[in-house]
Amino acid sequence: MIAKEGRTILFILLAISFPIAVYSHASNNQYLTFLYYLFGIVFLFTLYFFRDPFRKVNNKPSCFVSPADGRILSIAVVNDNDVGPSSHVISIFLNLFDVHVNRYPFDGIIEQVERKNGKFIAAFNHGAADVNEQVITTIAYHSSRYKIKQIAGLIARRILCYARPNLKVMKGDRMGFIRFGSRTDLVVPSNVTICVKEGDKVKGGETVLAKI
């Protein structure tokens, strides 16, 4: 399935490349033929990038699943004002070839959605979480909270987040999309057990990152 966030872009590319293809074949013009192949390659890459595959969500009530596809960049301990002291921050780096759909890792009710303007340094840089443009969603569950940070990268300039305060969310539901390379951080309380390590490859909605 193609993610809805990419359908307009794909339609525009198709609308441009189709007449170029017709004219290049009719005129045998090398310049038009080059443009036709160029737009064709861009269209195929964009089609691949905006894929939205079906995921079988791990519904075990004690498990936090990954909010994104990618690779575990780092696991750190921080004192978060909302989540609590000694919170765990699991950072996931999404390269250009990963699925860029973001999903809720756990059930809950959204308390706050904050958009922070910032820089666009490479998302794999450890300082990106502090200075890059991002959307921070705080979600309450039981008597605790967790956070999801959608962080823009060097190429990613568009963070789409559908979270709204007071919205009840379910594990595995789509929460947004980040276009073209990015990072997603999950902040969970100190009383959870981390189930992954740095360098692990994870899948959104399926891979268990932590357990209560």
Side-chain angles (χ1 to χ4, degrees), residues 4 10 48-49 73 91 153 195:
K4 61 182 180 180
L10 287 166
Y48 176 77
F49 179 83
L73 181 65
S91 299
C195 302

Side-chain angles (χ1 to χ4, degrees), residues 28-84:
N28 201 26
N29 184 295
Q30 290 185 346
Y31 177 71
L32 289 177
T33 300
F34 172 77
L35 283 179
Y36 165 57
Y37 283 117
L38 179 62
F39 274 101
I41 291 170
V42 173
F43 177 82
L44 290 175
F45 171 76
T46 306
L47 189 67
Y48 176 77
F49 179 83
F50 283 104
R51 67 198 186 280
D52 186 6
F54 170 79
R55 293 291 163 81
K56 186 177 181 181
V57 178
N58 188 319
N59 284 316
K60 291 182 179 178
S62 62
C63 294
F64 282 87
V65 297
S66 180
D69 285 32
R71 192 172 297 278
I72 302 296
L73 181 65
S74 64
I75 301 172
V77 176
V78 298
N79 293 321
D80 188 279
N81 292 333
D82 299 308
V83 179

Side-chain angles (χ1 to χ4, degrees), residues 23-159:
Y23 284 119
S24 67
H25 283 291
S27 64
N28 201 26
N29 184 295
Q30 290 185 346
Y31 177 71
L32 289 177
T33 300
F34 172 77
L35 283 179
Y36 165 57
Y37 283 117
L38 179 62
F39 274 101
I41 291 170
V42 173
F43 177 82
L44 290 175
F45 171 76
T46 306
L47 189 67
Y48 176 77
F49 179 83
F50 283 104
R51 67 198 186 280
D52 186 6
F54 170 79
R55 293 291 163 81
K56 186 177 181 181
V57 178
N58 188 319
N59 284 316
K60 291 182 179 178
S62 62
C63 294
F64 282 87
V65 297
S66 180
D69 285 32
R71 192 172 297 278
I72 302 296
L73 181 65
S74 64
I75 301 172
V77 176
V78 298
N79 293 321
D80 188 279
N81 292 333
D82 299 308
V83 179
S86 301
S87 301
H88 303 281
V89 182
I90 306 171
S91 299
I92 304 166
F93 175 67
L94 295 75
N95 66 39
L96 282 174
F97 302 101
D98 288 317
V99 173
H100 275 60
V101 174
N102 286 144
R103 301 177 183 274
Y104 293 105
F106 204 78
D107 299 347
I109 298 175
I110 296 172
E111 287 191 340
Q112 179 178 307
V113 181
E114 179 186 6
R115 182 176 289 272
K116 294 175 64 176
N117 295 325
K119 299 180 179 179
F120 295 95
I121 66 173
F124 54 78
N125 188 310
H126 290 294
D130 299 319
V131 301
N132 276 21
E133 184 167 311
Q134 57 193 275
V135 176
I136 304 169
T137 303
T138 305
I139 302 172
Y141 73 98
H142 307 319
S143 58
S144 301
R145 297 184 181 92
Y146 71 89
K147 282 182 177 178
I148 305 168
K149 297 183 179 183
Q150 296 170 280
I151 304 170
L154 183 64
I155 302 174
R157 300 291 168 126
R158 180 68 169 157
I159 300 173

